[in-house]
């Protein structure tokens, strides 16, 4: 069917009818847009259908820059096209005329449907009645070149004008709806926030009417919705006040807040049931500053307060524990250092050093007194923590303590326990020092005495001394901790003094013994020599008498022989004592010559065998032909003899083996017995003087092995022993062979 | 119906008038698939003599995995032939054509949303196979139950005016009771099926009806959906009757359907053309129920058209489609209003189809159906739902 061409009156009437029909239909459709349920797309689709368009767009110039367009609605575009961004006009500098934005912007539209060839476009501005400039426009796209009649153009302009009113109405309506939606959302959010708040919230209007409250508010006060919704603010306040400790103050505060709209409050309310509420209140004002009312926020802080209180107590406790631990650590370190300082036999110096160490921890200055063995109290030192006061302290130390003084060191020594003097006044000090010199009193005052701790140190035999720690400023410086610390110091000091004095006594005893040995040995040496000589004469006489005349009765030669053996033992004892004395004095001299140890050992064994006779143990010698070295022959003979005598003494009747071997630079002598052996715990003592491994019934002074060791070591060698109790012992002597520097 | 050698996009048509669904499907598919290569999609159009579910099962069985869609109609067209009872299947063959099918409901309650959804699904299904845009859309709404004009508006809002739009309302044997839409291998009711085509060929539609106005215009002063309650503030039937009477035609409520079939209402367009609205019945309150919506506030005209005008319009639609798609055509789809067939009678109807086929090209494969309303764009505008109109989709490539 061909399009109608208005070539005659009838056709024009038909066209007119069509236009009027379209105008009416589209006017109705435009009016429908006042109803927000109708969409602009529907209207544009209707327009596109009636006009026969490929597409119809409704565009808006964006208010923010006027250089870009926004698609308000469309017909003929596919859904995906509508979301495409419209590019902004280029050429920032050039001004854009009101309609130009649509004309130029249209060319940049991104919709592929409009790229179809042969499309024609008609721009219909939508005049804005409020600004008289087009902010929106309708763009109609048709396939081919249509014949736009003036009637159609006029109709569309009319529709556009109507559309402007509808669109502005829709915009305002949309804005209003959006505003309402936001308000509703904010209201909902606010309600939700208030309702879910952990704080109790109450909002009261400027007219003191209850506006809103939340669940938590009811919980805090133990109220119900009924209690609050039906109550005036005044009634509500009264109801709450009945639970408050200070009701009058609570109500007075409320009155003040209502009378002063700008007032803010942050305070705590104590309830009768023990709870504590934290209250914050502030005015509510509109954007224009109009006072709308007042909001109250209540928080039950009871638990928080309790927790805070418990936390503070715990912190204090922990702090105390920490301090105590720190104090204990310091005390431990302090005592450890004290022990180190006292580890000396020079105990007087040690005590002074201890006082210097302790004075900073236990006071400002310290007196150290000693009780000598005769019971005299002697002032050892006065030390001061401040080096600048050291001279004054030393001056005070020159004064001897009064052993009969009723207070102070003398009293503590007499009592045998620590004493504390607190709150010492000048009068007290004067009274305590009334019997002493003025200079001494002056010195004491100068150093300062406000409190004092005197702690004696004593052992079994009684008091050994005392420390007096003095605080120059603190009237109550000394408590249980200081006393405990001072007691421990005193215990250490007492131990030190006692040990040192015992050691000194032992040293003196040993010295006395050595003196005695030396004197005794010298005194014995001459008589023993004379006796031995006399016995030798007698023995020869008896021998000659037996050869020349009738032999003497048997007991006489035997007695002479026994007396000779006893004399030799006595001589050896004397020699040993002298050797010990020489060794102790460092006078053991060696005469080094070429000596054959093997030969010497064989000779010594032979001699001993002769002496022991048939009743003695079997003596075996295993020796190399010759073991030569530079040694002192007589001393080595003494070594071999002592070891053999030892083996005979403790070896019983068991055989004794003597072995002499050598290496390139060393000779080795072993003497092995199979006797009682040596207990393991005594192995370390047998080379010490006057020590014996066996019971006293075996006799001897316990010097033989000591002398062996001294002689061997004087040769640069060493002696050792292997022994099993009940199995016997083996003594091993190792001697360097070559010429060497030896101790003399 | 043979596929031309060297033609990339092809259409092979199979037809059957067998009474049973299985036999009909077997025969029609056998014809359509004979020597068919690169079959990509089948359009299935059937009269309502077949049980819809049975027919869907039978077609599934015959076509196997080949996607297909379609609807029921008052008659089916195969080439120049019209079958009052039968089944026609058109198989699209191509190596590059991509097809997407969407189906959505319910058009009786949410026609616009159904149109949007079915179109979106079809376009998405097709676009997932090819980056090319949609070239044609076949819209087959249930016109018995819903406002098909709203369905088409929804579809157009989704796909725009870029593609060639065609299709028609599914129908029955004029009892206006039920119609079926076929997609995803099954039958639907109260739905709309949309087929999106793209990736190959060139598609174009022609839309013409052949009616012209007479008598004074009448203003639709009260309307709702497809019901025109008042014209010029009077009962719509009374105005309709008076306008007919002024021409010497007496119209009673009893004879309204028969008279109205040849005298529809026309909604004027800016270019002088009319969108036809087909009044079906009068209602006790004097309102007129039409096949599609009557906009409130529009002016309507009484329309009439001679058989010659109608046949000429159908030829014009075919010419328009052929010109736009470019010769030679690979195939064509015809959606012709059932009322045109009733007006024309069998002989003139065959004449119309012959004219269409002749205009397209006697050897161009063609199929279609008699519809309850047609989908197409007048003069390349936005797609609309028409009545008493012939819509021809031609494609080449």
């Amino acid at each position: 069917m061909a399009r109608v061409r208005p070539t005659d009156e009838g056709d024009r009437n038909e066209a007119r009818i069509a236009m009027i029909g379209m105008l009416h239909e589209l006017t109705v459709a435009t009016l429908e847009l006042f109803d927000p349920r109708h969409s602009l797309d529907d209207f544009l689709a209707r327009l596109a259908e009636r006009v026969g368009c490929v597409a119809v767009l409704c565009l808006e110039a964006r208010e923010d820059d006027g250089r870009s367009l926004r698609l308000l609605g469309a017909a003929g575009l596919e859904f995906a096209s509508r979301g495409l961004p419209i590019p902004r006009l280029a050429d920032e500098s050039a001004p854009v005329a009101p309609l130009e934005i649509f004309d130029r912007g249209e060319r940049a539209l991104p919709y592929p449907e409009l790229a179809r060839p042969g499309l024609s476009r008609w721009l219909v501005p939508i005049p804005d009645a409020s600004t008289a400039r087009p902010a929106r426009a309708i763009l109609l796209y048709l396939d081919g070149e249509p014949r736009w009649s003036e009637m159609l153009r006029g109709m569309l302009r009319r529709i556009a004008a109507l559309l402007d009113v509808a669109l502005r109405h829709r915009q305002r309506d949309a804005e209003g709806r959006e505003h309402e939606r936001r308000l509703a959302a904010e209201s909902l959010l606010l309600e939700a926030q208030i309702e879910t708040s952990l704080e109790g919230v109450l909002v009261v209007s400027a007219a003191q009417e209850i506006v809103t409250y939340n669940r938590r508010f009811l919980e805090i006060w133990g109220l119900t919705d009924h209690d609050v919704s039906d109550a005036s603010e005044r009634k509500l306040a009264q109801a709450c006040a009945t639970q408050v400790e200070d009701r009058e103050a609570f109500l007075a505060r409320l009155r003040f807040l209502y009378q002063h709209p700008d007032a803010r409050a942050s305070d705590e309310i104590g309830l009768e049931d023990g709870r504590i509420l934290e209250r914050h209140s502030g005015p509510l004002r509109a954007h224009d500053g109009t006072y709308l009312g007042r909001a109250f926020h209540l928080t039950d802080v009871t638990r928080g307060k309790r927790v805070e209180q418990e936390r503070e107590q715990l912190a204090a406790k922990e702090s105390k524990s920490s301090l105590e631990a720190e104090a204990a650590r310091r005390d431990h370190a302090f005592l450890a250092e004290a022990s180190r300082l006292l580890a000396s036999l020079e105990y007087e110096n040690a005590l002074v050093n201890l006082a210097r160490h302790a004075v900073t921890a236990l006071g400002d200055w310290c007196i150290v007194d000693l009780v000598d063995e005769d019971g005299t109290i002697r002032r050892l030192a006065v030390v001061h923590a401040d080096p600048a006061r050291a001279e004054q302290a030393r001056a005070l130390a020159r004064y001897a303590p009064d052993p009969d003084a009723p207070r102070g060191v003398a009293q503590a020594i007499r009592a045998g326990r620590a004493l504390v003097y607190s709150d010492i006044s000048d009068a007290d000090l004067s009274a305590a020092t009334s019997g002493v010199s003025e200079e001494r009193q002056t010195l004491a005052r100068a150093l300062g005495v406000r409190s004092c701790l005197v702690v004696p140190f004593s052992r079994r035999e009684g008091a050994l001394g005392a420390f007096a720690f003095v605080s120059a400023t603190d009237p109550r410086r000394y408590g249980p901790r200081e006393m405990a610390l001072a007691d421990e110091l005193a215990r250490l000091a007492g131990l030190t003094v006692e040990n040192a004095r015992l050691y000194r006594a032992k040293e003196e005893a040993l010295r006395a013994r050595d003196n005695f040995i030396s004197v005794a040995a010298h005194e014995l040496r001459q008589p023993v020599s004379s006796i031995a000589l006399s016995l030798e004469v007698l023995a020869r006489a008896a021998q000659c008498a037996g050869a020349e005349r009738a032999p003497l009765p048997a007991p006489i030669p035997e007695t002479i022989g026994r007396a000779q053996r006893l004399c030799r033992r006595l001589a050896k004892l004397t020699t040993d004592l002298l050797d010990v004395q020489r060794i102790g004095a460092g006078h053991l001299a060696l005469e080094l010559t070429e000596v054959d140890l093997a030969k010497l050992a064989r000779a010594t064994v032979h001699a001993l065998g002769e002496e022991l006779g048939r009743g003695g143990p079997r003596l075996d010698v295993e020796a190399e032909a010759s073991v030569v070295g530079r040694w002192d022959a007589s001393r080595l003979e003494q070594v071999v003899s002592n070891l053999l005598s030892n083996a005979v003494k403790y070896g019983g009747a068991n055989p004794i083996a003597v072995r002499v071997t050598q290496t390139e630079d060393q000779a080795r002598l072993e003497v092995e017995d199979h006797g009682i052996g040596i207990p393991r715990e005594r192995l370390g003592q047998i080379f010490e003087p006057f020590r014996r491994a066996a019971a006293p019934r075996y006799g001897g002074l316990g010097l033989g092995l000591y002398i062996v060791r001294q002689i061997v070591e004087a040769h640069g060698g060493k002696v050792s022993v292997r022994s099993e109790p009940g199995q016997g012992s083996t003594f091993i002597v190792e001697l360097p062979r070559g010429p060497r520097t030896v101790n003399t | 119906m043979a596929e031309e050698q060297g033609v990339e996009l092809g259409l092979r048509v199979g037809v059957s008038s067998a009474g049973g669904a299985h036999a009909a499907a077997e025969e029609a598919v056998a014809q359509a698939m004979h020597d068919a290569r690169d079959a990509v999609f089948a359009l299935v159009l059937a009269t309502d003599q077949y049980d819809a579910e049975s027919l869907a099962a039978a077609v599934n069985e015959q076509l196997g995995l080949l996607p297909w869609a379609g609807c029921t109609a008052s008659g089916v067209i195969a080439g120049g032939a019209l079958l009052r009872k039968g089944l026609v299947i058109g198989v699209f063959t191509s190596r590059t054509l991509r097809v997407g099918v969407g189906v959505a409901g319910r058009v009786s309650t949410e026609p616009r949303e159904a149109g949007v959804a079915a179109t979106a699904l079809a376009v998405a299904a097709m676009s997932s196979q090819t980056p090319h845009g949609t070239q044609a859309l076949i819209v087959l709404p249930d016109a018995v139950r819903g406002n098909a004009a709203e369905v088409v508006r929804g579809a157009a809002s989704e796909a725009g005016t870029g593609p060639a739009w065609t299709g028609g309302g599914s129908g029955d044997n004029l009892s206006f009771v039920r119609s079926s839409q076929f997609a995803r291998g099954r039958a639907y009711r109260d739905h709309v099926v949309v087929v999106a085509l793209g990736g190959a060929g060139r598609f174009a539609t022609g839309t013409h009806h052949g009616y012209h106005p007479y008598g004074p215009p009448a203003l639709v002063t009260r309307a709702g959906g497809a019901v025109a309650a008042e014209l010029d503030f009077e009962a719509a039937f009374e105005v309709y009757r008076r306008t007919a009477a002024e021409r010497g035609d007496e119209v009673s409520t009893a004879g309204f359907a028969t008279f109205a079939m040849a005298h529809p209402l026309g909604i004027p367009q800016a270019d002088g053309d009319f969108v036809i609205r087909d009044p079906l019945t009068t209602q006790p309150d004097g309102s007129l129920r039409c096949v599609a919506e009557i906009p409130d506030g529009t002016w309507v005209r009484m329309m009439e058209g001679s058989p010659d005008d109608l046949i000429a319009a159908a030829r014009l639609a075919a010419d328009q489609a052929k010109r736009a798609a470019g010769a030679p055509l690979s195939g064509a789809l015809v959606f012709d209003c059932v009322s045109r067939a009733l007006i024309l009678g069998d002989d003139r109807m065959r004449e119309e189809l012959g004219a269409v086929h002749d205009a397209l090209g006697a050897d161009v494969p063609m199929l279609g159906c008699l519809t309850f309303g047609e989908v197409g764009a007048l003069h390349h505008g936005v797609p609309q739902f028409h009545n008493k109109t012939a819509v021809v989709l031609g494609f080449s490539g």
Side-chain angles (χ1 to χ4, degrees):
Chain A
M1 179 181 179
R3 295 184 186 185
V4 176
R5 300 182 62 183
T7 52
D8 52 28
E9 187 60 29
D11 288 343
R12 280 196 292 274
N13 285 337
E14 286 296 331
R16 195 172 292 123
I17 289 169
M19 287 302 138
I20 293 170
M22 285 174 55
L23 176 63
H24 197 274
E25 180 188 349
L26 293 174
T27 300
V28 171
T30 307
L31 293 175
E32 286 177 343
L33 289 176
F34 283 83
D35 183 345
R37 291 173 297 179
H38 288 81
S39 77
L40 180 61
D41 285 353
D42 284 350
F43 169 81
L44 296 173
R46 185 80 66 85
L47 180 60
E49 288 172 5
R50 293 297 167 261
V51 180
C53 298
V54 171
V56 178
L57 312 182
C58 183
L59 295 165
E60 181 182 56
R62 293 177 67 105
E63 288 181 3
D64 49 359
D65 62 0
R67 304 186 72 88
S68 59
L69 296 174
R70 186 162 70 96
L71 183 68
L72 295 179
L77 297 186
E78 64 177 282
F79 179 77
S81 296
R82 294 171 194 229
L84 295 173
I86 301 175
R88 197 167 178 275
L89 283 185
D91 189 11
E92 298 280 348
S93 58
V96 179
L99 265 179
E100 191 183 356
I101 177 66
F102 297 107
D103 192 39
R104 288 174 57 190
E106 184 274 337
R107 290 175 225 157
L109 291 178
Y111 311 125
E113 292 87 346
L114 307 183
R116 184 192 298 183
L119 285 186
S120 61
R121 187 213 69 191
W122 186 24
L123 171 67
V124 182
I126 302 175
D128 187 334
S130 60
T131 62
R133 61 179 283 171
R136 304 185 185 94
I138 298 173
L139 289 160
L140 299 96
Y141 294 84
L142 292 97
D143 196 7
E145 192 61 43
R147 292 179 298 277
W148 298 102
S149 69
E150 281 304 314
M151 198 182 299
L152 180 60
R153 292 175 188 274
M155 183 202 75
L156 289 174
R157 283 194 292 271
R158 184 82 181 270
I159 293 295
L162 193 58
L163 188 60
D164 169 59
V165 179
L167 290 178
R168 279 192 284 122
H169 170 81
R170 286 169 71 90
Q171 186 174 4
R172 280 195 293 272
D173 185 67
E175 289 170 356
R177 285 170 184 276
E178 177 62 16
H179 187 61
E180 286 177 5
R181 189 191 64 75
R182 285 183 183 166
L183 276 179
E186 286 174 5
S187 177
L188 277 174
L189 183 63
L190 189 62
E191 282 180 20
Q193 285 177 336
I194 290 176
E195 198 57 35
T196 56
S197 173
L198 295 176
E199 295 179 341
V201 178
L202 173 70
V203 178
V204 179
S205 71
Q208 285 185 240
E209 293 166 339
I210 297 170
V211 177
T212 188
Y213 55 90
N214 68 351
R215 195 65 40 199
R216 183 65 183 136
F217 178 82
L218 298 179
E219 289 171 1
I220 287 175
W221 293 108
L223 300 171
T224 64
D225 281 317
H226 178 75
D227 296 331
V228 180
S229 59
D230 288 353
S232 65
E233 187 283 330
R234 190 179 299 276
K235 277 189 177 178
L236 179 62
Q238 291 290 348
C240 295
T242 59
Q243 304 178 41
V244 176
E245 284 180 336
D246 191 345
R247 297 172 194 179
E248 288 307 315
F250 175 77
L251 292 171
R253 185 68 172 158
L254 279 181
R255 281 195 297 275
F256 171 81
L257 290 173
Y258 287 127
Q259 288 165 2
H260 299 81
D262 285 328
R264 293 181 177 277
S266 290
D267 53 6
E268 287 185 358
I269 304 168
L271 302 189
E272 289 192 329
D273 60 6
R275 285 181 297 153
I276 301 170
L277 303 181
E278 197 170 81
R279 172 175 62 182
H280 297 281
S281 177
L284 299 173
R285 292 191 179 280
H287 291 303
D288 61 0
T290 305
Y291 177 68
L292 301 176
R294 175 169 290 280
F296 294 90
H297 298 262
L298 295 170
T299 309
D300 186 342
V301 296
T302 313
R303 192 174 172 192
K305 288 282 179 188
R306 284 183 187 150
V307 168
E308 190 179 340
Q309 199 173 11
E310 287 169 4
R311 192 165 49 232
E312 284 174 357
Q313 289 172 349
L314 185 63
K317 198 172 175 182
E318 285 177 351
S319 175
K320 186 181 176 188
S321 298
S322 174
L323 289 172
E324 286 174 353
E326 175 61 18
R329 189 194 62 76
R330 281 202 311 271
D331 291 352
H332 182 75
F334 175 79
L335 291 172
E337 176 63 11
S339 296
R340 191 188 68 78
L341 292 171
L342 290 171
S344 169
L345 294 174
E346 298 298 325
Y347 67 89
E348 293 188 1
N349 288 341
L351 289 175
V352 174
N353 289 335
L354 178 63
R356 289 195 179 111
H357 167 63
V359 70
T360 52
L362 289 169
D364 298 309
W365 52 286
C366 174
I367 300 169
V368 188
D369 287 346
L370 270 179
V371 179
D372 288 334
E373 278 95 336
D374 60 358
T376 307
I377 300 176
R378 176 164 55 90
R379 182 133 300 167
L380 185 62
V382 177
V383 297
H384 201 288
D386 182 2
R389 316 288 289 276
E391 187 54 41
Q392 285 178 308
R394 277 195 292 274
L396 189 61
R398 287 195 285 271
Y399 293 98
D402 178 5
D404 300 320
R407 307 187 69 184
V409 172
Q411 184 192 13
I413 287 176
R414 283 196 301 273
R417 60 182 174 82
L419 296 173
V420 174
Y421 304 96
S422 301
D423 297 308
I424 301 172
S425 63
D426 279 349
D428 295 333
L429 186 61
S430 298
T433 57
S434 59
V436 302
S437 68
E438 190 173 334
E439 184 188 3
R440 187 174 171 184
Q441 288 185 38
T442 304
L443 280 171
R445 281 201 178 80
L447 291 174
V449 182
R450 292 289 287 136
S451 56
C452 180
L453 166 63
V454 184
V455 54
F457 43 92
S458 56
R459 297 299 293 170
R460 290 181 296 272
E461 291 77 10
L464 300 174
F467 294 112
F469 297 101
V470 183
S471 172
T473 55
D474 189 343
R476 296 184 177 276
R477 173 69 175 80
Y478 304 102
R481 176 181 158 264
E482 287 76 13
M483 288 185 71
L485 196 60
D487 273 341
E488 184 60 19
L489 275 184
R491 190 185 69 77
L492 292 173
L495 199 60
T496 300
V497 173
E498 183 185 50
N499 286 344
R501 287 181 175 173
L502 287 174
Y503 181 80
R504 190 178 293 172
K506 179 185 170 188
E507 287 287 297
E508 287 174 356
L510 288 174
R511 199 159 40 248
R513 184 197 67 187
D514 291 344
N515 287 336
F516 170 76
I517 288 171
S518 178
V519 172
H522 280 94
E523 290 297 325
L524 286 172
R525 188 178 184 185
Q526 186 58 42
V528 168
S529 297
S530 299
I531 293 169
L533 189 59
S534 301
L535 288 172
E536 183 64 30
V537 172
L538 282 174
R540 283 180 185 170
Q543 199 170 14
C544 289
E548 294 172 2
R549 299 180 292 270
L552 293 173
I556 294 174
E558 289 176 5
T559 301
I560 293 171
R562 189 162 56 247
Q564 278 186 308
R565 283 198 296 278
L566 288 172
C567 189
R568 280 198 292 274
R569 283 182 60 191
L570 193 56
K572 184 175 181 306
L573 184 62
T574 306
T575 303
D576 285 350
L577 287 173
L578 286 171
D579 284 344
V580 169
Q581 192 270 332
R582 287 193 193 96
I583 291 167
H587 296 154
L588 181 64
L590 298 178
E591 294 179 7
L592 300 181
T593 57
E594 290 284 333
V595 178
D596 185 344
L597 179 60
K599 183 178 177 183
L600 184 148
R602 279 192 286 268
T604 306
V605 169
H606 179 74
L608 182 63
E610 287 289 313
E611 184 177 331
L612 293 175
R614 291 185 178 179
R618 195 181 79 203
L619 299 172
D620 299 326
V621 179
E622 297 175 25
E624 297 186 20
S626 173
V627 179
V628 177
R630 284 185 64 79
W631 301 302
D632 184 319
S634 63
R635 288 298 182 187
L636 276 193
E637 183 185 351
Q638 197 176 355
V639 167
V640 177
S641 175
N642 281 1
L643 290 177
L644 279 172
S645 299
N646 215 52
V648 169
K649 184 190 292 182
Y650 301 110
N654 300 311
I656 296 169
V658 178
R659 290 182 285 273
V660 181
T661 55
Q662 63 182 343
T663 61
E664 181 69 24
D665 54 357
Q666 197 172 55
R668 181 182 177 94
L669 167 71
E670 290 182 10
V671 178
E672 181 183 19
D673 68 64
H674 300 281
I676 60 174
I678 305 167
R680 194 179 304 274
E681 65 274 13
R682 294 189 180 176
L683 280 174
Q685 304 173 354
I686 57 174
F687 293 105
E688 298 298 321
F690 304 104
R691 296 297 179 100
R692 291 177 306 186
R697 62 185 173 87
Y698 285 92
L701 291 175
L703 294 173
L705 291 177
Y706 170 70
I707 292 169
V708 167
R709 191 186 78 174
Q710 296 301 321
I711 292 171
V712 171
E713 288 180 356
H715 281 86
K718 65 179 183 180
V719 61
S720 58
V721 61
R722 293 196 305 265
S723 181
E724 284 293 328
Q727 300 294 317
S729 305
T730 301
F731 288 85
I732 302 117
V733 174
E734 294 168 315
L735 290 168
R737 296 175 61 192
R740 59 193 62 237
T741 304
V742 293
N743 295 327
T744 59
Chain B
M1 295 184 193
E3 185 179 350
E4 288 184 20
Q5 293 297 316
V7 174
E8 203 284 324
L9 177 60
L11 177 66
R12 301 181 68 86
V13 179
V15 63
S16 174
S17 56
H22 188 270
E26 187 175 33
E27 182 182 5
V29 169
Q31 290 177 20
M33 295 296 287
H34 180 67
D35 286 343
R37 287 176 299 181
D38 304 321
V40 291
F41 174 72
L43 181 65
V44 177
L45 304 169
T47 57
D48 72 346
Q49 72 185 88
Y50 305 110
D51 174 71
E53 284 74 22
S54 300
L55 180 63
V59 172
N60 282 336
E61 185 181 340
Q62 296 300 319
L63 288 177
L65 296 175
L66 185 68
W68 65 280
C71 66
T72 57
S74 297
V76 294
I77 300 164
L82 172 65
L83 281 74
R84 293 295 184 177
K85 291 188 176 183
L87 168 69
V88 62
I89 296 178
V91 173
F92 288 78
T93 60
S94 171
R95 291 178 183 170
T96 56
L97 180 71
R98 297 292 178 262
V99 182
V101 176
V103 59
R106 298 189 171 270
V107 298
S108 60
T109 54
E110 297 178 321
R112 192 182 185 99
E113 289 77 5
V116 170
T119 306
L121 290 169
V123 170
M126 187 209 69
S127 299
S128 67
Q129 307 168 54
T130 174
H132 299 292
T134 308
Q135 291 168 286
L137 286 160
I138 305 170
V139 183
L140 306 172
D142 186 339
V144 174
R145 300 197 182 205
N147 182 351
E150 273 295 282
V151 174
V152 174
R153 284 203 188 97
S157 71
E158 183 62 27
T161 53
W165 289 82
T166 191
S170 62
D172 57 11
N173 60 355
L174 294 178
S175 61
F176 297 100
V177 174
R178 67 175 188 179
S179 68
S180 297
Q181 304 80 47
F182 299 113
R184 299 178 187 163
R186 53 168 288 199
Y188 293 86
R189 290 190 178 85
D190 200 8
H191 277 62
V192 55
V193 168
V194 176
V195 179
L197 304 169
R202 188 172 173 193
F203 296 79
T205 54
T207 306
H208 284 278
H209 48 70
Y211 289 88
H212 52 83
Y214 69 92
L219 182 65
V220 179
T221 51
R222 188 159 66 90
V227 175
E230 289 181 1
L231 297 175
D232 294 337
F233 304 102
E234 288 186 73
F237 173 69
E238 181 54 30
V239 175
Y240 185 92
R241 187 199 62 75
R242 192 164 60 235
T243 305
E246 288 172 1
R247 280 275 302 265
D249 298 321
E250 292 299 324
V251 183
S252 66
T253 53
F256 176 77
T258 305
F259 182 81
M261 189 178 296
H263 298 84
L265 299 176
I267 301 171
Q269 304 288 102
D271 61 357
D273 209 339
F274 290 83
V275 173
I276 304 299
R277 286 294 176 258
D278 194 2
L280 290 175
T281 57
T282 62
Q283 303 198 97
D285 61 355
S287 61
L288 302 178
R289 173 171 289 279
C290 303
V291 173
E293 67 170 14
I294 298 290
D296 190 24
T298 191
W299 285 43
V300 292
R301 303 290 300 276
M302 293 280 282
M303 307 291 286
E304 63 179 355
S306 68
D308 288 341
D309 289 339
L310 270 56
I311 292 170
R315 175 187 287 276
L316 198 58
D319 279 338
Q320 187 181 2
K322 183 179 178 181
R323 278 199 307 273
L329 291 178
S330 302
L333 305 180
V334 178
F335 296 94
D336 208 353
C337 183
V338 64
S339 69
R340 296 169 64 92
L342 293 174
I343 292 168
L344 291 173
D346 285 351
D347 290 343
R348 297 304 304 268
M349 188 62 200
R350 274 194 292 273
E351 187 181 337
E352 179 181 286
L353 293 177
V356 168
H357 208 181
D358 183 56
L360 294 171
D363 57 346
V364 173
M366 183 181 92
L367 77 156
C369 62
L370 302 182
T371 52
F372 284 11
E374 299 73 44
V375 178
L378 287 175
H379 313 302
H380 309 295
V382 293
Q384 295 186 64
F385 191 67
H386 302 272
N387 293 161
K388 295 189 177 302
T389 302
V391 177
V392 178
L393 173 74
F395 50 90
S396 61

